[in-house]
Amino acid sequence: MQAPEIVKLPPPFKPAWWLRNCHLQTIAAKYLAPRRTLHTETEMLALPDGDHIQLNWTESPELVADKPVVIVLHGLEGNIHSHYAAGMLYALKQQGFLAVLMHFRGCNGVANRLPRAYHSGDTADLAYLVAQIQLRYPGRELAAVGFSLGGNVLVKYCGEQGTRCVLKAAIAVSAPLALAPSAERINQGGSKVYQQYLLGRLKATMMRKLDRHKDFPLPVSKVQINALKTIRDFDDLLTAPLHGFQNAEDYYQKSSGKAFLKQVKVPLLLVHAKDDPFLSPAVLPKADEIPPNVQLLLSSHGGHVGFVTGNKPLKAEYYLEQQLPKYLAQFLGQH
């Protein structure tokens, strides 16, 4: 199906009147998420370097040969149990798509086979998954939705692929498209609470890795890891050298999705809230940095991957789940 000549953007986001604060939006989204029954098919996908990643399919791909495939990418230390990932899988299935969550390496609760992990610019595994889907299920229409870190990975992937990108459309939600300023932002004020939560998860993942790999390639100890105070420190000590970067600054510069925007040739929707407590305003591209097929859906409120709406307190409605599958249907033939 050809992309529609006039792309209809989702309607503006209106926060729940009882959840206008950015921190309430961010936190409530997790705790008020409806507990839906979502059965998925788990697959361990072998990678070319001997490692593997976990996929969770909403249905067995072989049994639904006519459905477009939407790849979902989670955020930093997310997984199938993350409310936004599970909610989006459910919503995409309800829209008539076959959805698959791609776990980044080591994010399924088990240390991955290699010492390396994953990072905000790590597009190789996504590229391999896309190629495998094309190989196994030729002719399937493809799209993708990325949240936070996964959104940055998706934007960078689309830019790297350029005119070769096979996705019919892509959506990046609350993506840290400028990594260095965002690392500074999350180390300020009330946002430090989120930093400590994420840093704790990153440390736990790295501890599992040290236990598994007795020949770990970096001269670091559990004591050093435990002493880290910021995500930037973690990236400087571990993320950067593990993945071939000189330091955190080099990693941030080479991995920020904003630098790849102008090369994006497929329809790409950026969904962002001005009051995002995780991200610096620097993540927002300027008008001259946005090519014609990239659209920015910017709201005043919404927090970080929050976007909770609805009129009844404690009965949340999720704007992203309501609107993003319908947006993708314009490109994937599900009207």
Side-chain angles (χ1 to χ4, degrees), residues 1 95 97 324-335:
M1 173 186 173
Q95 185 69 38
F97 301 137
L324 299 193
K326 288 193 286 189
Y327 172 82
L328 289 178
Q330 298 177 97
F331 304 92
L332 300 174
Q334 299 291 307
H335 296 290

Side-chain angles (χ1 to χ4, degrees), residues 9-308:
L9 287 176
F13 167 70
K14 294 180 181 178
W17 61 266
W18 43 281
L19 280 179
R20 292 182 70 83
N21 178 274
C22 66
H23 298 295
L24 290 178
Q25 277 282 333
T26 302
I27 296 167
K30 176 178 180 178
Y31 292 105
L32 296 180
R35 301 290 178 247
R36 300 191 183 101
T37 301
L38 178 70
H39 297 291
T40 60
E41 301 264 338
T42 301
E43 175 190 350
M44 299 307 295
L45 178 67
L47 300 172
D49 62 3
D51 214 335
H52 63 261
I53 51 174
Q54 180 174 312
L55 307 177
N56 284 80
W57 298 86
T58 52
E59 299 171 84
S60 176
E62 289 78 10
L63 301 180
V64 285
D66 58 333
K67 292 188 177 182
V69 178
V70 181
I71 299 167
V72 177
L73 303 174
H74 60 75
L76 185 67
E77 292 299 289
N79 55 44
I80 184 63
H81 303 296
S82 299
H83 69 278
Y84 59 86
M88 187 53 61
L89 289 176
Y90 182 90
L92 289 167
K93 183 179 179 181
Q94 295 302 111
Q95 185 69 38
F97 301 137
L98 171 60
V100 56
L101 177 70
M102 186 194 97
H103 285 81
F104 291 104
R105 300 191 191 206
C107 286
N108 59 332
V110 180
N112 57 302
R113 291 173 182 163
L114 299 181
R116 61 153 293 178
Y118 69 100
H119 60 84
S120 294
D122 194 359
T123 55
D125 293 348
L126 173 58
Y128 184 71
L129 173 59
V130 169
Q132 284 299 301
I133 292 173
Q134 285 191 293
L135 189 64
R136 294 185 197 176
Y137 316 113
R140 294 280 186 114
E141 292 181 318
L142 274 168
V145 180
F147 294 94
S148 196
L149 175 145
N152 187 79
V153 169
L154 180 57
V155 170
K156 183 171 178 277
Y157 167 81
C158 290
E160 288 171 343
Q161 294 291 311
T163 55
R164 295 175 289 111
C165 188
V166 298
L167 300 179
K168 297 292 184 185
I171 304 173
V173 179
S174 303
L177 301 179
L179 292 168
S182 294
E184 292 174 18
R185 173 70 182 88
I186 205 170
N187 191 37
Q188 295 170 0
S191 298
K192 287 184 177 181
V193 174
Y194 306 116
Q195 176 171 250
Q196 290 311 305
Y197 171 75
L198 292 170
L199 189 58
R201 292 181 67 97
L202 285 166
K203 288 178 180 180
T205 297
M206 198 54 64
M207 296 300 188
R208 289 197 297 269
K209 200 172 280 293
L210 285 181
D211 288 338
R212 175 163 186 162
H213 301 283
K214 303 306 178 187
D215 56 345
F216 195 71
L218 300 179
V220 297
S221 67
K222 289 187 176 182
V223 173
Q224 281 177 287
I225 294 173
N226 269 326
L228 296 173
K229 301 297 185 187
T230 68
I231 286 178
R232 189 186 182 98
D233 290 343
F234 183 93
D235 289 337
D236 215 31
L237 181 70
L238 293 157
T239 309
L242 260 184
H243 302 100
F245 301 102
Q246 294 175 17
N247 49 35
E249 194 58 44
D250 183 48
Y251 158 47
Y252 293 156
Q253 183 181 349
K254 292 176 179 174
S255 299
S256 293
K258 201 172 172 184
F260 296 83
L261 268 181
K262 284 191 174 180
Q263 285 77 53
V264 174
K265 303 300 181 187
V266 297
L268 168 65
L269 179 65
L270 304 176
V271 182
H272 188 79
K274 289 182 182 178
D275 66 355
D276 191 315
F278 279 48
L279 305 181
S280 162
V283 305
L284 291 172
K286 296 181 176 67
D288 63 352
E289 295 174 314
I290 304 176
N293 50 313
V294 175
Q295 292 179 294
L296 175 62
L297 188 62
L298 183 62
S299 60
S300 297
H301 303 282
H304 187 75
V305 194
F307 299 95
V308 183

